[in-house]
Short mmCIF file of all heavy atoms in Angstrom, two decimals:
data_model
loop_
_atom_site.label_atom_id
_atom_site.label_comp_id
_atom_site.label_asym_id
_atom_site.label_seq_id
_atom_site.Cartn_x
_atom_site.Cartn_y
_atom_site.Cartn_z
N ASP A 30 114.59 84.24 78.24
CA ASP A 30 114.80 85.57 78.76
C ASP A 30 114.28 86.61 77.74
O ASP A 30 114.49 87.84 78.02
CB ASP A 30 116.27 85.74 79.01
CG ASP A 30 116.63 85.18 80.32
OD1 ASP A 30 115.77 84.87 81.19
OD2 ASP A 30 117.89 84.98 80.57
N ASP A 31 113.75 86.23 76.64
CA ASP A 31 113.33 87.24 75.59
C ASP A 31 112.11 88.03 76.06
O ASP A 31 111.16 87.51 76.63
CB ASP A 31 112.98 86.52 74.27
CG ASP A 31 114.03 85.71 73.69
OD1 ASP A 31 114.80 84.98 74.45
OD2 ASP A 31 114.28 85.79 72.39
N ALA A 32 112.22 89.29 75.79
CA ALA A 32 111.08 90.24 76.14
C ALA A 32 110.64 90.97 74.88
O ALA A 32 111.46 91.36 74.12
CB ALA A 32 111.52 91.30 77.15
N THR A 33 109.35 90.89 74.56
CA THR A 33 108.75 91.53 73.47
C THR A 33 107.62 92.36 73.81
O THR A 33 106.86 92.20 74.83
CB THR A 33 108.32 90.51 72.41
OG1 THR A 33 107.19 89.64 72.97
CG2 THR A 33 109.39 89.64 71.94
N ALA A 34 107.30 93.37 73.00
CA ALA A 34 106.22 94.31 73.23
C ALA A 34 105.70 94.71 71.81
O ALA A 34 106.39 94.83 70.85
CB ALA A 34 106.57 95.48 74.11
N PHE A 35 104.42 95.24 71.87
CA PHE A 35 103.90 95.79 70.59
C PHE A 35 103.92 94.80 69.50
O PHE A 35 104.40 95.16 68.47
CB PHE A 35 104.51 97.16 70.20
CG PHE A 35 104.69 98.12 71.45
CD1 PHE A 35 105.95 98.45 71.83
CD2 PHE A 35 103.51 98.66 72.08
CE1 PHE A 35 106.12 99.38 72.96
CE2 PHE A 35 103.63 99.43 73.10
CZ PHE A 35 104.91 99.90 73.52
N ASN A 36 103.41 93.58 69.78
CA ASN A 36 103.40 92.42 68.83
C ASN A 36 104.79 92.26 68.27
O ASN A 36 105.01 92.04 67.11
CB ASN A 36 102.44 92.74 67.66
CG ASN A 36 102.04 91.45 66.99
OD1 ASN A 36 102.09 90.31 67.48
ND2 ASN A 36 101.67 91.55 65.70
N ALA A 37 105.77 92.19 69.16
CA ALA A 37 107.28 91.78 68.88
C ALA A 37 107.93 92.93 68.07
O ALA A 37 109.00 92.71 67.58
CB ALA A 37 107.40 90.49 68.11
N GLN A 38 107.39 94.12 67.93
CA GLN A 38 108.07 95.20 67.29
C GLN A 38 109.19 95.72 68.24
O GLN A 38 110.23 96.24 67.70
CB GLN A 38 107.09 96.44 66.99
CG GLN A 38 106.05 96.09 65.93
CD GLN A 38 105.07 97.16 65.73
OE1 GLN A 38 105.44 98.35 65.80
NE2 GLN A 38 103.76 96.86 65.50
N LYS A 39 109.08 95.56 69.53
CA LYS A 39 110.14 95.93 70.49
C LYS A 39 110.68 94.68 71.10
O LYS A 39 109.88 93.80 71.56
CB LYS A 39 109.65 96.91 71.52
CG LYS A 39 110.73 97.32 72.50
CD LYS A 39 110.11 98.26 73.53
CE LYS A 39 111.22 98.75 74.52
NZ LYS A 39 110.76 99.81 75.41
N LYS A 40 111.96 94.39 70.94
CA LYS A 40 112.56 93.18 71.48
C LYS A 40 113.75 93.38 72.39
O LYS A 40 114.55 94.37 72.06
CB LYS A 40 112.87 92.16 70.33
CG LYS A 40 111.75 91.86 69.44
CD LYS A 40 112.27 90.95 68.22
CE LYS A 40 111.12 90.66 67.20
NZ LYS A 40 111.73 89.83 66.17
N ASP A 41 114.03 92.46 73.30
CA ASP A 41 115.31 92.48 74.05
C ASP A 41 115.44 91.19 74.70
O ASP A 41 114.53 90.43 74.77
CB ASP A 41 115.27 93.70 74.96
CG ASP A 41 116.76 94.10 75.38
OD1 ASP A 41 117.72 93.47 75.07
OD2 ASP A 41 116.83 95.24 76.15
N VAL A 42 116.61 90.93 75.28
CA VAL A 42 116.90 89.84 76.19
C VAL A 42 117.18 90.32 77.50
O VAL A 42 118.13 91.10 77.77
CB VAL A 42 118.04 88.96 75.59
CG1 VAL A 42 118.31 87.89 76.54
CG2 VAL A 42 117.74 88.44 74.27
N ILE A 43 116.43 89.96 78.50
CA ILE A 43 116.41 90.51 79.81
C ILE A 43 116.98 89.35 80.69
O ILE A 43 116.19 88.31 80.99
CB ILE A 43 115.09 90.96 80.37
CG1 ILE A 43 114.40 91.94 79.33
CG2 ILE A 43 115.30 91.59 81.69
CD1 ILE A 43 115.11 93.18 79.20
N GLU A 44 118.20 89.40 81.21
CA GLU A 44 118.75 88.37 81.92
C GLU A 44 117.93 87.99 83.27
O GLU A 44 117.56 88.92 84.02
CB GLU A 44 120.16 88.69 82.45
CG GLU A 44 121.15 88.72 81.24
CD GLU A 44 122.63 89.04 81.70
OE1 GLU A 44 122.82 89.06 82.88
OE2 GLU A 44 123.47 89.29 80.80
N GLY A 45 117.61 86.79 83.40
CA GLY A 45 116.97 86.34 84.45
C GLY A 45 115.32 86.34 84.36
O GLY A 45 114.77 85.83 85.40
N LYS A 46 114.86 86.91 83.42
CA LYS A 46 113.40 87.07 83.32
C LYS A 46 112.72 85.67 83.24
O LYS A 46 111.71 85.49 83.86
CB LYS A 46 113.11 87.84 81.99
CG LYS A 46 111.60 87.87 81.61
CD LYS A 46 111.36 88.70 80.36
CE LYS A 46 109.95 88.51 79.77
NZ LYS A 46 109.84 87.23 79.13
N GLY A 47 113.24 84.75 82.42
CA GLY A 47 112.65 83.44 82.43
C GLY A 47 112.65 82.75 83.65
O GLY A 47 111.67 81.95 83.98
N VAL A 48 113.72 82.88 84.44
CA VAL A 48 113.81 82.16 85.71
C VAL A 48 112.63 82.72 86.65
O VAL A 48 112.00 81.91 87.33
CB VAL A 48 115.15 82.39 86.42
CG1 VAL A 48 115.20 81.83 87.89
CG2 VAL A 48 116.30 81.76 85.60
N LEU A 49 112.57 84.08 86.71
CA LEU A 49 111.48 84.71 87.49
C LEU A 49 110.04 84.23 87.18
O LEU A 49 109.22 83.93 87.92
CB LEU A 49 111.69 86.13 87.52
CG LEU A 49 112.89 86.64 88.31
CD1 LEU A 49 113.22 88.08 87.83
CD2 LEU A 49 112.56 86.78 89.78
N ASN A 50 109.85 84.20 85.85
CA ASN A 50 108.48 83.84 85.33
C ASN A 50 108.23 82.53 85.55
O ASN A 50 106.99 82.04 85.96
CB ASN A 50 108.31 84.21 83.80
CG ASN A 50 108.10 85.68 83.62
OD1 ASN A 50 107.71 86.36 84.48
ND2 ASN A 50 108.24 86.05 82.33
N ASN A 51 109.16 81.56 85.52
CA ASN A 51 108.99 80.14 85.77
C ASN A 51 108.60 80.04 87.29
O ASN A 51 107.65 79.30 87.46
CB ASN A 51 110.21 79.33 85.47
CG ASN A 51 110.10 77.91 85.66
OD1 ASN A 51 109.05 77.33 85.66
ND2 ASN A 51 111.26 77.24 85.89
N MET A 52 109.33 80.64 88.15
CA MET A 52 108.99 80.44 89.61
C MET A 52 107.64 81.03 89.93
O MET A 52 106.82 80.50 90.77
CB MET A 52 110.09 81.15 90.32
CG MET A 52 111.51 80.40 90.15
SD MET A 52 112.80 81.43 90.98
CE MET A 52 112.45 81.43 92.77
N LEU A 53 107.38 82.24 89.28
CA LEU A 53 106.04 82.96 89.56
C LEU A 53 104.87 82.08 89.09
O LEU A 53 103.80 82.05 89.72
CB LEU A 53 106.07 84.31 89.17
CG LEU A 53 106.92 85.28 90.02
CD1 LEU A 53 107.26 86.60 89.22
CD2 LEU A 53 106.18 85.63 91.29
N SER A 54 105.04 81.60 87.84
CA SER A 54 103.96 80.83 87.23
C SER A 54 103.68 79.65 88.06
O SER A 54 102.54 79.26 88.23
CB SER A 54 104.36 80.46 85.79
OG SER A 54 103.13 80.11 85.13
N GLU A 55 104.74 78.97 88.60
CA GLU A 55 104.60 77.78 89.34
C GLU A 55 103.75 78.21 90.70
O GLU A 55 102.87 77.47 91.12
CB GLU A 55 105.91 77.21 89.91
CG GLU A 55 105.79 76.14 90.94
CD GLU A 55 107.15 75.84 91.55
OE1 GLU A 55 108.06 76.84 91.54
OE2 GLU A 55 107.34 74.79 92.16
N TYR A 56 104.12 79.34 91.24
CA TYR A 56 103.41 79.81 92.42
C TYR A 56 101.92 79.99 92.16
O TYR A 56 101.07 79.57 92.94
CB TYR A 56 104.09 81.03 92.90
CG TYR A 56 103.41 81.73 94.16
CD1 TYR A 56 103.67 81.39 95.40
CD2 TYR A 56 102.33 82.70 93.88
CE1 TYR A 56 102.99 82.00 96.55
CE2 TYR A 56 101.71 83.27 95.00
CZ TYR A 56 102.11 82.87 96.28
OH TYR A 56 101.37 83.53 97.33
N PHE A 57 101.65 80.68 91.00
CA PHE A 57 100.21 80.95 90.87
C PHE A 57 99.37 79.70 90.41
O PHE A 57 98.29 79.46 90.83
CB PHE A 57 100.07 82.08 89.65
CG PHE A 57 100.60 83.36 90.10
CD1 PHE A 57 101.53 83.99 89.41
CD2 PHE A 57 100.11 84.00 91.22
CE1 PHE A 57 102.01 85.34 89.75
CE2 PHE A 57 100.66 85.26 91.66
CZ PHE A 57 101.50 85.97 90.89
N MET A 58 100.08 78.79 89.57
CA MET A 58 99.32 77.62 89.15
C MET A 58 99.05 76.71 90.29
O MET A 58 97.99 76.13 90.48
CB MET A 58 100.18 76.92 88.07
CG MET A 58 100.19 77.63 86.79
SD MET A 58 98.50 77.82 85.94
CE MET A 58 99.09 78.50 84.33
N ASN A 59 100.09 76.57 91.33
CA ASN A 59 99.86 75.81 92.34
C ASN A 59 98.70 76.39 93.34
O ASN A 59 97.91 75.67 93.89
CB ASN A 59 101.15 75.67 93.27
CG ASN A 59 102.06 74.62 92.79
OD1 ASN A 59 101.63 73.56 92.08
ND2 ASN A 59 103.33 74.71 92.98
N GLY A 60 98.67 77.73 93.27
CA GLY A 60 97.61 78.37 94.15
C GLY A 60 96.27 78.11 93.50
O GLY A 60 95.22 77.82 94.20
N LEU A 61 96.13 78.08 92.10
CA LEU A 61 94.84 77.75 91.51
C LEU A 61 94.45 76.42 91.84
O LEU A 61 93.28 76.10 92.10
CB LEU A 61 94.98 77.82 89.91
CG LEU A 61 95.28 79.27 89.31
CD1 LEU A 61 95.20 79.19 87.80
CD2 LEU A 61 94.13 80.26 89.79
N THR A 62 95.41 75.43 91.81
CA THR A 62 95.11 74.02 92.09
C THR A 62 94.53 73.97 93.54
O THR A 62 93.62 73.23 93.80
CB THR A 62 96.39 73.16 92.05
OG1 THR A 62 96.84 73.24 90.68
CG2 THR A 62 96.11 71.69 92.40
N ASN A 63 95.16 74.73 94.44
CA ASN A 63 94.73 74.68 95.93
C ASN A 63 93.36 75.17 96.08
O ASN A 63 92.61 74.74 97.06
CB ASN A 63 95.70 75.48 96.65
CG ASN A 63 97.12 74.76 96.81
OD1 ASN A 63 97.15 73.59 96.64
ND2 ASN A 63 98.13 75.38 97.19
N VAL A 64 92.85 76.06 95.28
CA VAL A 64 91.40 76.56 95.34
C VAL A 64 90.57 75.81 94.33
O VAL A 64 89.39 76.34 94.19
CB VAL A 64 91.41 78.05 95.18
CG1 VAL A 64 92.21 78.71 96.30
CG2 VAL A 64 91.93 78.57 93.87
N GLY A 65 90.95 74.82 93.74
CA GLY A 65 90.08 74.00 92.87
C GLY A 65 89.92 74.46 91.48
O GLY A 65 88.96 74.05 90.85
N ILE A 66 90.82 75.28 90.97
CA ILE A 66 90.80 75.74 89.56
C ILE A 66 91.65 74.94 88.69
O ILE A 66 92.95 74.95 88.89
CB ILE A 66 91.08 77.28 89.44
CG1 ILE A 66 90.10 78.06 90.35
CG2 ILE A 66 91.10 77.73 88.03
CD1 ILE A 66 90.52 79.59 90.44
N PRO A 67 91.04 74.13 87.77
CA PRO A 67 92.00 73.18 87.02
C PRO A 67 92.96 73.95 86.04
O PRO A 67 92.67 74.89 85.50
CB PRO A 67 91.01 72.35 86.23
CG PRO A 67 89.82 73.27 86.13
CD PRO A 67 89.80 74.10 87.35
N ASN A 68 94.14 73.40 86.02
CA ASN A 68 95.13 74.00 85.19
C ASN A 68 96.11 72.85 84.76
O ASN A 68 96.10 71.75 85.17
CB ASN A 68 95.95 75.15 85.81
CG ASN A 68 96.64 74.68 87.08
OD1 ASN A 68 97.76 74.16 87.00
ND2 ASN A 68 96.03 74.81 88.18
N HIS A 69 97.10 73.24 83.80
CA HIS A 69 98.01 72.26 83.09
C HIS A 69 99.23 72.05 83.90
O HIS A 69 99.91 71.06 83.52
CB HIS A 69 98.31 72.69 81.77
CG HIS A 69 99.25 73.87 81.63
ND1 HIS A 69 99.89 74.21 80.52
CD2 HIS A 69 99.68 74.79 82.49
CE1 HIS A 69 100.74 75.19 80.72
NE2 HIS A 69 100.65 75.61 81.94
N PHE A 70 99.49 72.65 84.94
CA PHE A 70 100.81 72.66 85.68
C PHE A 70 100.93 71.22 86.40
O PHE A 70 99.95 70.87 87.08
CB PHE A 70 100.95 73.77 86.67
CG PHE A 70 102.26 73.77 87.39
CD1 PHE A 70 103.43 74.20 86.77
CD2 PHE A 70 102.38 73.29 88.65
CE1 PHE A 70 104.57 74.27 87.44
CE2 PHE A 70 103.52 73.31 89.38
CZ PHE A 70 104.66 73.77 88.80
N ILE A 71 102.08 70.62 86.24
CA ILE A 71 102.30 69.38 87.00
C ILE A 71 103.45 69.70 88.05
O ILE A 71 103.20 69.49 89.24
CB ILE A 71 102.77 68.23 86.10
CG1 ILE A 71 101.69 67.92 85.12
CG2 ILE A 71 103.17 67.01 86.88
CD1 ILE A 71 102.07 66.90 84.01
N LYS A 72 104.60 70.17 87.64
CA LYS A 72 105.70 70.51 88.51
C LYS A 72 106.79 71.32 87.86
O LYS A 72 106.89 71.30 86.64
CB LYS A 72 106.37 69.18 89.18
CG LYS A 72 107.13 68.38 88.04
CD LYS A 72 107.75 67.16 88.76
CE LYS A 72 108.59 66.33 87.63
NZ LYS A 72 109.20 65.12 88.17
N ARG A 73 107.51 72.06 88.71
CA ARG A 73 108.64 72.65 88.16
C ARG A 73 109.93 71.76 88.12
O ARG A 73 110.18 71.11 89.15
CB ARG A 73 108.99 73.96 88.93
CG ARG A 73 110.26 74.73 88.43
CD ARG A 73 110.27 76.11 89.11
NE ARG A 73 110.50 76.07 90.48
CZ ARG A 73 111.71 76.02 91.08
NH1 ARG A 73 112.74 75.86 90.34
NH2 ARG A 73 111.81 76.03 92.34
N ILE A 74 110.55 71.70 86.96
CA ILE A 74 111.73 70.76 86.81
C ILE A 74 112.99 71.31 87.29
O ILE A 74 113.77 70.71 87.98
CB ILE A 74 111.75 70.27 85.39
CG1 ILE A 74 110.47 69.61 84.85
CG2 ILE A 74 112.97 69.41 85.08
CD1 ILE A 74 110.44 69.47 83.33
#
Side-chain angles (χ1 to χ4, degrees):
D30 282 342
D31 299 45
T33 63
F35 312 118
N36 200 25
Q38 294 177 36
K39 181 176 182 179
K40 302 178 185 178
D41 202 352
V42 176
I43 311 293
E44 292 181 11
K46 170 179 167 290
V48 174
L49 286 160
N50 279 345
N51 184 24
M52 295 169 66
L53 284 163
S54 194
E55 173 195 23
Y56 176 88
F57 292 126
M58 291 295 185
N59 278 334
L61 294 184
T62 298
N63 290 339
V64 297
I66 301 175
N68 61 83
H69 73 163
F70 182 80
I71 299 173
K72 66 177 181 179
R73 182 165 62 86
I74 300 171

